[in-house]
């Protein structure tokens, strides 16, 4: 069955996730949806120094938004900030250095941010695909720490601030790869069996879909969404999936095409007319499961995921400095 799911996903991707798929889908886009002035609104983008994160931040800056770039590498982040300011003329671009794989750092950052800024839109874009099992300084498997726990803590720590905002939104950048994974709460840190970085990443992305659905139920005043950017030519794809990149490089979407639905979800009035908690691709909600894939999970597993992440979250909150 896993072979079937992977094959269906790849064939589906060849058709829909490439540059050609974007060009086909974009024929039905309404350009006015994203031709909006967001001056006075505050956006936080994680993983914003390159790829889809930077492309999203740049487009929001063009529309007048205040943009907080949350990045791990200070040197690359400063270059990205300068590029965004220069190209858009928007001076309201702020830089924060945070490692999303370090839960104590996230808590420290979020608590300071809540006291100093307002926030209308959180964009969880930071992620990684580590192909060998590596542990962080906290003893966490690195993919899980970054993609799942980091996203969970950043979001839940900033929910109190978002609750105070008008038209608050949270967008999480997931992946179509999650379609080949059923939620597995018994081995969140990939301690059992052989380690496959691609499948661990896909499992993390399934977890992000579940998180979004659960948050949408719990926080009715915030619009939550999760999306697949398609297969885009980003530094992360080149470094984490070199074989895939070589095979598909002539068909990959541009960074801006990959970021298009993130931007639409972040700024368009049309996005929030749709229910909270949905999974999007090319500006429209799509199913979170392939036909006959048996990737649905029971409610108790989804509740267990939230419980375990909350336990981790509180543990690191109490351990964070300040």
């Amino acid at each position: 069955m896993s072979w079937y799911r992977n094959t269906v996903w790849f064939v589906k991707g060849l058709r829909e996730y490439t540059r050609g798929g974007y060009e086909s889908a974009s024929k039905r886009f309404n350009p006015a949806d994203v031709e909006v002035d967001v001056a006075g609104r505050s956006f936080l983008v994680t993983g914003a120094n390159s790829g889809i994160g930077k492309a999203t931040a740049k487009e929001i800056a063009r529309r007048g938004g205040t943009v907080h770039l949350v990045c791990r590498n200070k040197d690359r982040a400063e270059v990205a900030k300068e590029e965004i300011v220069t190209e858009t003329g928007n001076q309201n671009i702020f830089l924060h250095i945070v490692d999303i794989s370090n839960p104590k750092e996230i808590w420290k950052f979020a608590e300071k941010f809540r006291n100093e800024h307002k926030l209308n839109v959180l964009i969880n874009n930071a992620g990684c695909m580590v192909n060998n099992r590596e542990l962080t300084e906290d003893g966490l498997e690195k993919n899980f720490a970054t993609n799942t726990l980091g996203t969970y803590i950043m979001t839940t720590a900033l929910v109190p601030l978002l609750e105070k905002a008008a038209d608050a939104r949270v967008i999480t950048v997931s992946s179509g790869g999650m379609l080949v994974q059923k939620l597995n709460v018994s081995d969140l840190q990939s301690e059992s069996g052989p380690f496959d970085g691609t499948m661990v990443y896909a499992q993390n992305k399934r977890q992000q879909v579940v998180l979004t659905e659960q948050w949408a139920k719990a926080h009715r005043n915030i619009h939550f969404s999760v999306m697949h950017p398609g297969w885009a030519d980003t530094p992360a794809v080149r470094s984490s999936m070199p074989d895939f990149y070589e095979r598909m490089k002539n068909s990959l979407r541009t960074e801006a095409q990959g970021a298009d639905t993130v931007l639409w979800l972040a700024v368009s009035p049309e996005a929030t007319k749709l229910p909270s908690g949905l999974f999007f691709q090319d500006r429209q909600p799509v199913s979170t499961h392939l036909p006959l894939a048996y990737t649905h999970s029971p409610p108790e597993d989804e509740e267990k995921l939230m419980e375990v992440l909350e336990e981790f979250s509180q543990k690191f909150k109490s351990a964070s400095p300040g």
Side-chain angles (χ1 to χ4, degrees), residues 39 44 85 115 122 124 149 155 173 203 215 230 245 253 313 319-320:
L44 189 155
V85 171
N115 291 327
L122 168 63
N124 291 310
L149 184 59
T155 304
V173 178
Q203 173 65 209
W215 285 328
Y245 172 75
R253 298 178 178 203
S313 174
S320 67

Side-chain angles (χ1 to χ4, degrees), residues 99-101 126-128 141-151 208:
D99 183 349
I100 302 297
S101 74
C128 69
E141 191 277 315
K142 196 162 188 178
N143 293 291
F144 167 78
T146 305
N147 302 326
T148 302
L149 184 59
T151 296
Q208 290 178 342

Side-chain angles (χ1 to χ4, degrees), residues 9 36 49 67-68 76 137 150 154 160 179 186-187 189 199 205 223 243 301 318:
W9 171 63
V36 293
N49 67 284
V67 186
H68 295 272
R76 290 203 294 265
E137 64 183 42
M154 182 65 78
L179 290 166
S186 65
D187 189 25
Q189 299 204 61
M199 288 300 103
K205 295 300 172 174
H223 190 271
D243 293 341
D301 282 4
S318 62

Side-chain angles (χ1 to χ4, degrees), residues 248-314:
M248 298 296 298
K249 62 184 178 183
N250 294 325
S251 301
L252 297 177
R253 298 178 178 203
T254 66
E255 293 173 345
Q257 289 171 342
D260 177 81
T261 296
V262 189
L263 177 71
W264 183 81
L265 288 166
V267 306
S268 172
E270 296 304 308
T272 52
K273 292 179 182 178
L274 293 162
S276 182
L278 298 180
F279 179 63
F280 287 83
Q281 177 187 318
D282 291 331
R283 301 193 189 184
Q284 65 180 7
V286 294
S287 176
T288 57
H289 302 277
L290 292 172
L292 307 177
Y294 304 104
T295 50
H296 294 268
S297 51
E300 53 266 30
D301 282 4
E302 298 179 357
E303 291 164 11
K304 180 67 174 176
L305 175 68
M306 303 305 283
E307 289 169 7
V308 171
L309 293 178
E310 183 61 18
E311 287 171 11
F312 271 120
S313 174
Q314 292 304 316

